[in-house]
Amino acid sequence: MTISPKQFPELITAIINTINAHEEEVTELDQAIGDGDHVFNLQRGLTALEQAQQEISALAWPAAWQKIGMVLMASVGGASGSLYATLFINLSKNSGQGELSSASFAHAFSAAVDAVKQRGKAEAGEKTMLDVLIPVAAALKTGVDASLDSEQLLKSVTTAATEGVESTRNMIATKGRASFLGERSIGHIDAGAKTAQLMIEAIASL
Ligand code: ADP
Ligand code: MG
């Protein structure tokens, strides 16, 4: 399986559709333990990416990742904006020139998630988007090492994302705005984990 920037318009449309379809649900999650703006921050970034889709799909790796990161950096406010920008800029730094195989993507994604951890000074178990991104990076690596076929690999990634988002429910938030609530954050799914899971599911089911 290879991943090409030419697929970008199709990907961004699928992501926008799923985020729009879950707008109310994500807003309720972020209102419960955050400030309620997460979905709008993300939609601003996705609209900017949609506007840049021709330019992005005409680029090759790793320039396309870099451009995605820069567009997000410039368009998204909130904690999630700089964290997603960090993710894509580090995908660029860790991808070689030309075609991207599942194995090279798994390597680059893992390095990019590590960069997000550093940027947000956060680890697994702090009730953030990382509780989806970290298990997804691990599932990618395990799947590639086990030579899973594309279908099995995508299924394993989707399962890791779904379990990851659900795992945030019983965590105490120790990063971001939700950390102000301490133990009162228990019982709510993290909004940023939810949107990460939705986006990964949309990408995996293309
Ligand atoms: P803000 O919190 O600034 O309003 P958003 O609402 O857009 O920003 O994003 C909130 C989401 O960002 C949270 O739900 C959480 O998943 C994620 N987040 C916040 N702080 C961190 C961090 N330090 N590391 C990783 N993810 C974080
Ligand atoms: Mg917010």
Side-chain angles (χ1 to χ4, degrees), residues 30 33-42 76-81 83-84 116-117 119-123 126-130 174-178 189-195:
D30 196 33
I33 56 172
D35 57 357
D37 65 349
H38 177 62
V39 89
F40 305 118
N41 290 336
L42 200 57
V76 187
S80 56
L83 294 168
Y84 273 113
V116 173
K117 288 165 72 176
R119 167 90 207 198
K121 298 187 176 58
E123 291 292 331
E126 298 201 80
K127 202 178 182 95
T128 71
M129 60 169 78
L130 283 167
T174 43
K175 286 282 154 25
R177 289 176 199 279
I189 280 177
D190 174 63
K194 181 66 195 174
T195 54

